[in-house]
Amino acid sequence: MAALVGIGAAHIDRIGRLEGTFVPATSQPGTVRESVGGCMANVLRVACALNACSVGLVSARGGDLAGRLVAEAMADAGIDDHSAVFVDRATPSYTAILDAQGEVIVALADMALYENGLARHVRRSDVRALVGAADRLVVDANLPATAIGTLLDAPGRPPAVGLTVSPAKAGRLRGRLSGLALVVMNRRELAALTGAETRQNGPISLAQMAALHRSGARRAVVTDGPRGAVVLEDDRCWRVPTTDQARVRDVTGAGDALAGAVLAHWPETDLVAAVRIGHAAAAVSIGHDGPFAPQLARADLAALAGSLPEPERLGSV
């Protein structure tokens, strides 16, 4: 049985990158590439590359070429695949347009299969047995709230980690935070989850983290782009800086790289220390085209993490 089981998105990413300055409502030159992505696929590939423990995936895909590509990528990564295949459906996809600097301009998620097919699949007895035998469970908010509830309310399930995925889906974890050992999000997802206002140009505040704590979160990692991340553990908060020296090629999957590295090292490693390694993984990821950087397994993340500025204690919430 897998020691770490992740349930969520594994699909095809289609990423377009403009060659020049973005001009709305015009056709512009650029390039398009396809690769296997999805929040859970990205996170588990990183966790598997950085940790020798067994990793299992539960997702849903179609009986098409895209679905076969996802299956092959999971096999190549050494992940045990327990996903459902719906032969008459198309595999979900994520399509994003990036500017010349690699930042997302707009993205479209075609993921209806997760709403129904995957939600049914997680109720199967073999999936329940897989989860019950795992050491840790990871769920992402591509699952509907009812399916997340089914997983978190299951008797005997292992400690669970939640991934908020996007501002539009973060609310699916609302009311469930107290049942999670850890939740990982970005600042926009923090605002969507708690309703706490975030200043667009300011750092994440202690008040915003207090709102998250009042919502039930015991431990959380909130990423904040070039400012790094803020970590909540019990009632204490730290700001964990990242590097400003990373070469940015593609930010797609950077947050997933951080989450995967945290899962590979925590709880054996202190959460703040695990986030520092996560920053190192994200720095490697954004220098690579695509949501998963295979060179992560060869990178000296510990050395890169050790070169980062020291964490700052923000106080208690």
Side-chain angles (χ1 to χ4, degrees):
M1 290 292 184
L4 174 65
V5 171
I7 303 181
H11 52 248
I12 293 296
D13 282 347
R14 298 183 178 93
I15 308 297
R17 185 179 180 121
L18 301 182
E19 291 181 1
T21 303
F22 170 60
V23 181
T26 63
S27 175
Q28 296 178 238
T31 57
V32 177
R33 59 163 176 75
E34 288 189 352
S35 58
V36 172
C39 176
M40 194 56 66
N42 296 339
V43 168
L44 293 185
R45 282 185 291 181
V46 172
C48 195
L50 301 181
N51 194 315
C53 78
S54 61
V55 175
L57 167 71
V58 179
S59 189
R61 66 181 70 105
D64 51 8
L65 174 59
R68 292 195 293 275
L69 292 174
V70 173
E72 289 170 3
M74 296 303 101
D76 290 344
I79 294 171
D80 297 327
D81 192 357
H82 303 269
S83 301
V85 178
F86 296 83
V87 296
D88 59 339
R89 299 290 298 276
T91 296
S93 64
Y94 169 84
T95 302
I97 303 299
L98 312 182
D99 63 20
Q101 288 70 48
E103 297 291 338
V104 177
I105 297 171
V106 67
L108 185 152
D110 180 3
M111 301 182 183
L113 189 57
Y114 299 141
E115 302 289 329
N116 41 62
L118 182 53
R120 295 198 306 271
H121 186 50
V122 300
R123 296 197 295 267
R124 289 170 52 98
S125 59
D126 55 339
V127 174
R128 294 200 306 269
L130 178 73
V131 170
D135 294 329
R136 281 184 295 166
L137 170 67
V138 190
V139 295
D140 76 33
N142 286 296
L143 281 164
T146 52
I148 292 171
T150 296
L151 291 165
L152 297 185
D153 291 339
R157 57 94 173 158
V161 176
L163 309 173
T164 52
V165 176
S166 72
K169 295 178 179 178
R172 296 176 175 189
L173 294 178
R174 191 177 294 120
R176 292 288 179 177
L177 297 180
S178 61
L180 295 170
L182 173 68
V183 59
V184 183
M185 68 194 78
N186 65 28
R187 62 178 297 137
R188 294 186 299 275
E189 293 152 8
L190 168 67
L193 187 58
T194 65
E197 183 179 353
T198 59
R199 294 171 295 168
Q200 184 174 358
N201 296 320
I204 295 169
S205 70
L206 199 59
Q208 291 157 359
M209 297 303 292
L212 181 61
H213 186 259
R214 289 194 300 272
S215 298
R218 293 177 292 159
R219 297 181 194 86
V221 177
V222 184
T223 61
D224 195 16
R227 294 187 182 92
V230 177
V231 171
L232 168 69
E233 188 159 22
D234 297 324
D235 64 345
R236 303 179 304 278
C237 288
W238 291 264
R239 194 179 311 281
V240 186
T242 188
T243 176
D244 58 1
Q245 303 299 316
R247 172 180 171 270
V248 179
R249 176 65 188 170
D250 182 354
V251 299
T252 307
D256 296 339
L258 182 145
V262 169
L263 286 173
H265 293 87
W266 175 84
E268 291 78 13
T269 300
D270 170 81
L271 183 57
V272 169
V275 170
R276 284 164 63 83
I277 297 173
H279 282 325
V284 173
S285 177
I286 63 177
H288 170 83
D289 276 324
F292 171 67
Q295 64 265 38
L296 276 170
R298 304 185 300 273
D300 190 348
L301 299 183
L304 181 53
S307 71
L308 299 177
E310 289 296 316
E312 172 193 359
R313 174 73 183 271
L314 293 182
S316 299
V317 295

